[in-house]
């Protein structure tokens, strides 16, 4: 499995592109509560996803949950964006994994929908489970990492893993990140084996867990 600076995970032998936490229509959800926020997060996220699909030309795409920010996101999705998503799905086997924000597929979106999916010795789900056996690939926690580099602190989104499980960074435009040393990750990673693949502008940089800093 190859982590990419776009935030996707690439499984070359199976031609599967894996992405987590798109949170489409998060902006409209926040705006609906009265916040003044630009309504362009879905467009930005779909643009980035289109670039990744073009770059890797996968046969299959797995979206690991919270692809839609809430149960009403599909209804709020403008027709232009629905058409753009449908165009991205054309010619691909598109697998949606249910998330805590989107437990069911919106009625106006195509693709197959699963609570979780096991294939090739791996289990793909939205929320990582402490008791899961080795081979879990998940999202949900929006991992980020902080490290000191050349005298300054650098914080970036990251892929986080310990050889038993891997948690993907959030892909959506308005998603942010949670430090991998936060208590929310308790029990998920063996501390001595933890590594963060920090996302740079043009590369992904593996950082040993002992070098990571809390926020």
């Amino acid at each position: 499995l190859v982590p990419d600076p776009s935030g996707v995970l690439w499984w070359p032998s199976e031609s599967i592109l894996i992405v987590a936490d798109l949170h489409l229509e998060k902006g409209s959800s926040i705006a609906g509560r009265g916040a003044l926020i630009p309504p362009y997060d879905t467009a930005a996220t779909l643009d980035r996803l289109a670039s990744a699909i073009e770059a890797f030309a996968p046969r299959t795409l797995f979206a690991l949950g919270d692809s839609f920010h809430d149960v009403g996101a599909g209804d709020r999705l403008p027709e232009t964006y629905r058409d753009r998503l449908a165009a991205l799905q054309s010619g691909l086997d598109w697998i949606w994994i249910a998330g805590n924000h989107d437990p069911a597929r919106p009625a106006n979106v195509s693709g197959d929908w699963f609570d979780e999916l096991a294939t090739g010795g791996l289990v793909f789900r939205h929320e990582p489970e402490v008791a899961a056996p080795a081979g879990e690939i998940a999202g949900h926690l929006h991992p980020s990492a902080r490290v000191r580099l050349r005298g300054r602190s650098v914080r970036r989104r990251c892929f986080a893993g310990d050889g038993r499980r891997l948690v993907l960074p959030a892909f959506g435009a308005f998603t942010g990140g949670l430090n991998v040393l936060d208590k929310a990750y308790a029990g998920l990673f063996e501390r001595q084996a933890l590594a963060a693949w920090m996302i740079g502008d043009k590369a992904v940089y593996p950082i040993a867990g002992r070098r990571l800093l809390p926020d």
Side-chain angles (χ1 to χ4, degrees):
L1 302 179
V2 182
D4 187 77
S6 66
V8 302
L9 186 68
W10 174 233
W11 192 355
S13 65
E14 302 298 321
S15 191
I16 296 175
L17 198 65
I18 306 150
V19 64
D21 295 280
L22 301 175
H23 282 272
L24 299 176
E25 290 303 298
K26 182 174 183 177
S28 63
S29 176
I30 296 172
R33 298 195 294 271
L36 297 177
I37 190 168
Y40 306 124
D41 60 302
T42 295
T45 299
L46 292 179
D47 284 348
R48 293 177 56 230
L49 190 56
S51 295
I53 291 171
E54 181 179 4
F56 289 98
R59 290 195 303 266
T60 304
L61 186 141
F62 291 173
L64 302 186
D66 285 4
S67 300
F68 301 90
H69 185 66
D70 53 49
V71 294
D75 293 332
R76 296 196 309 276
L77 195 67
E79 183 176 358
T80 300
Y81 297 160
R82 286 201 302 272
D83 292 345
R84 182 78 190 282
L85 178 58
L88 294 180
Q89 293 179 290
S90 178
L92 291 178
D93 292 325
W94 196 288
I95 306 296
W96 303 103
I97 301 295
N100 58 298
H101 282 254
D102 54 358
R105 183 182 64 188
N108 53 8
V109 172
S110 63
D112 296 314
W113 194 272
F114 297 92
D115 289 334
E116 60 182 48
L117 182 65
T119 184
L122 301 175
V123 175
F124 296 88
R125 59 169 56 99
H126 176 60
E127 188 168 354
E129 298 179 0
V130 171
E136 180 183 70
I137 310 295
H140 180 62
L141 290 170
H142 302 199
S144 68
R146 190 164 76 89
V147 67
R148 188 164 298 280
L149 183 66
R150 299 188 183 95
R152 65 187 183 94
S153 175
V154 176
R155 190 181 193 275
R156 294 292 181 92
R157 294 183 305 136
C158 72
F159 300 80
D162 64 354
R164 296 184 67 256
R165 66 163 46 86
L166 186 69
V167 179
L168 273 63
F171 192 86
F174 286 174
T175 48
L178 179 66
N179 192 299
V180 295
L181 300 184
D182 188 90
K183 63 182 180 181
Y185 296 88
L188 290 178
F189 301 121
E190 182 184 341
R191 187 67 176 87
Q192 296 302 313
L194 174 62
W197 287 264
M198 296 179 69
I199 294 176
D201 293 335
K202 296 182 179 181
V204 175
Y205 301 93
I207 305 295
R210 66 180 181 276
R211 294 185 57 194
L212 301 178
L213 303 172
D215 285 338

